[in-house]
């Protein structure tokens, strides 16, 4: 038989990937295929090909919230602002952790004295420890900011979401009502509204901020709901017979809440500064409540003689507002895919 008609000589068999039997030896094409298969063999326990998507082709895709949390953990601005906010919340709840004195205990003999051992921030005009009052002032500011933000976010989201989902006369009524509140100057409204209230608690200030803060969030919630309800999955659920309540709670609200969270986070810092402004003008929080705005107001006339009285409460207020604004910016960047 001629040499070119001789059958292809095969070498011994060997076990290839997946326990398959593959010949070796003179069958060069088969050897090459086995070699290529070995280089592409999946690592044990991973279920994925190196370089492929995490979790394999059948893995569940990450949601918007998981992607946002993944981005936030890598953002140093979020970490720094988050740690500062956690610290502020802790001293607002337990100020005794870092301040053992009484913010209302004063000694006129030490009026406007500077830093001393055990009293690093000095004393104010009444002889009260500035360090202790600065620490205890975080409680009122954080309480007003958090409660006002929650109230404005809940009220604005509810009204704006319902108006955007159902539309018609309810939407028109909400828009005109919001326009009325937008036309009220915040500081002037606070002077008029809070000047007739004699309560020394934080709740009148919280109520006033919610009253003027909900229209902004309602506008954001309304626009977000209008955009979300036009998506194909909402139309498909409606065609399958889903009720309006199910559409709103199950399909529209979870996909429209992200812009509201971003605006509310940034507004929290703004509300804290608004409380300090109203307290500085004498219509916000009142003594004996300890507030950064009250301390700044008392220290302003003595800024030349005792600048330390103004420096520390004003610095604490600025850091707090900056921390919440930075947190809001980080959350916005994480929740907006176009900014990644």
């Amino acid at each position: 038989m001629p040499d070119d008609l001789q059958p292809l000589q095969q070498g011994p068999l060997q076990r290839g990937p997946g326990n398959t039997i593959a010949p070796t030896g003179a069958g060069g094409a088969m050897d090459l295929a086995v070699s290529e298969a070995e280089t592409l063999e999946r690592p044990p326990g991973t279920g994925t090909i190196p370089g492929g998507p995490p979790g394999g082709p059948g893995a569940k895709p990450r949601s918007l919230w998981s992607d946002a949390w993944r981005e936030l953990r890598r953002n140093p601005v979020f970490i720094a602002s988050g740690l500062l906010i956690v610290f502020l919340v802790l001293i607002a709840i337990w100020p005794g952790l870092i301040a053992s004195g009484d913010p209302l205990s004063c000694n006129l003999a030490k009026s406007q004295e500077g830093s001393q051992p055990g009293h690093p921030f000095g004393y104010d005009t009444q002889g009260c420890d500035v360090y202790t009052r600065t620490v205890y002032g975080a409680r009122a500011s954080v309480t007003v900011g958090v409660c006002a933000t929650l109230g404005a976010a809940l009220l604005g989201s509810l009204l704006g979401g319902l108006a955007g989902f159902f539309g018609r006369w309810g939407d028109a009524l909400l828009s005109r009502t919001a326009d009325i509140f937008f036309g009220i100057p915040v500081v002037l409204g606070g002077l008029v509204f809070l000047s007739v209230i004699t309560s020394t608690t934080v709740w009148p200030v919280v109520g006033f901020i919610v009253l003027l803060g909900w229209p902004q969030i309602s506008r954001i919630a309304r626009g977000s709901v209008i955009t979300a309800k036009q998506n194909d999955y909402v139309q498909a659920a409606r065609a399958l017979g889903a009720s309006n309540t199910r559409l709103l709670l199950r399909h529209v609200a979870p996909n429209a809440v992200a812009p509201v969270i971003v605006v509310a986070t940034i507004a929290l810092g703004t509300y804290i500064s608004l409380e300090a402004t109203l307290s500085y003008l004498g219509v916000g929080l009142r003594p004996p409540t300890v507030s950064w705005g009250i301390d700044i107001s008392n220290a302003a006339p003595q800024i030349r003689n005792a600048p330390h009285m103004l420096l520390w409460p004003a610095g604490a207020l600025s850091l707090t507002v900056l921390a919440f604004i930075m947190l809001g910016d980080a959350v916005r960047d994480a929740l907006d895919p176009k900014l990644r």
Side-chain angles (χ1 to χ4, degrees):
M1 181 179 297
D3 293 339
D4 56 351
L5 297 178
Q6 292 288 339
L8 182 64
Q9 190 73 20
Q10 294 183 349
L13 298 178
Q14 73 174 9
R15 193 170 296 276
N19 292 328
T20 58
I21 304 299
T24 61
M30 183 62 71
D31 289 343
L32 180 61
V34 171
S35 177
E36 289 293 329
E38 290 176 349
T39 60
L40 295 177
E41 186 177 5
R42 298 179 181 179
T46 61
T48 61
I49 297 176
K60 184 179 180 181
R62 292 196 301 263
S63 64
L64 171 65
W65 303 106
S66 60
D67 279 341
W69 176 240
R70 183 168 173 265
E71 293 293 329
L72 288 174
R73 288 182 299 175
R74 299 179 177 181
N75 191 341
V77 174
F78 171 78
I79 295 175
S81 59
L83 291 176
L84 181 56
I85 290 172
V86 170
F87 173 73
L88 290 171
V89 172
L90 285 177
I91 66 173
I93 298 175
W94 299 292
L97 291 175
I98 60 174
S100 58
D102 184 359
L104 301 179
S105 177
C106 304
N107 185 1
L108 285 175
K110 297 182 178 296
S111 176
Q112 298 185 13
E113 291 186 2
S115 176
Q116 297 180 5
H119 306 277
F121 294 175
Y123 296 88
D124 63 6
T125 304
Q126 301 298 324
C128 302
D129 185 16
V130 176
Y131 171 77
T132 304
R133 290 187 63 86
T134 301
V135 173
Y136 275 82
R139 172 176 292 177
S141 297
V142 172
T143 301
V144 170
V146 172
C147 293
T149 301
L150 289 177
L154 291 176
L155 181 60
S157 299
L158 179 62
L159 297 179
L162 293 176
F165 186 79
F166 293 104
R168 299 182 181 178
W169 63 269
D171 189 12
L173 178 61
L174 176 74
S175 299
R176 301 295 77 79
T177 304
D179 291 339
I180 295 174
F181 282 94
F182 276 125
I184 301 176
V186 176
V187 177
L188 179 59
L191 290 173
V192 174
F193 180 80
L194 296 175
S195 61
V196 299
I197 298 178
T198 58
S199 175
T200 58
T201 63
V202 300
W203 303 117
V205 180
V206 171
F208 169 74
I209 296 176
V210 171
L211 184 64
L212 293 187
W214 71 266
Q216 179 187 14
I217 296 182
S218 69
R219 287 277 179 93
I220 301 297
R222 173 184 175 273
S224 184
V225 167
I226 291 176
T227 302
K229 75 175 185 178
Q230 296 174 355
N231 292 326
D232 293 338
Y233 58 85
V234 177
Q235 302 301 325
R238 187 188 300 274
L240 292 174
S243 63
N244 288 332
T245 303
R246 181 177 178 83
L247 288 174
L248 184 59
L249 298 180
R250 185 70 179 271
H251 301 285
V252 175
N255 295 282
V257 72
V260 175
I261 293 177
V262 173
V263 174
T265 306
I266 298 177
L268 201 158
T270 306
Y271 294 159
I272 291 177
S273 64
L274 177 59
E275 175 273 318
T277 302
L278 295 175
S279 299
Y280 177 84
L281 295 174
V283 296
L285 301 180
R286 296 179 173 89
T289 304
V290 180
S291 168
W292 291 332
I294 295 175
D295 290 347
I296 293 173
S297 177
N298 294 333
Q302 307 296 331
I303 187 172
R304 293 185 178 181
N305 300 327
H308 65 275
M309 293 170 47
L310 178 65
L311 175 64
W312 297 111
L317 174 64
S318 300
L319 283 177
T320 302
V321 175
L322 178 62
F324 281 106
I325 292 178
M326 290 171 57
L327 180 68
D329 289 340
V331 173
R332 179 200 59 194
D333 295 342
L335 291 177
D336 190 351
K338 293 180 290 186
L339 297 178
R340 299 178 188 172

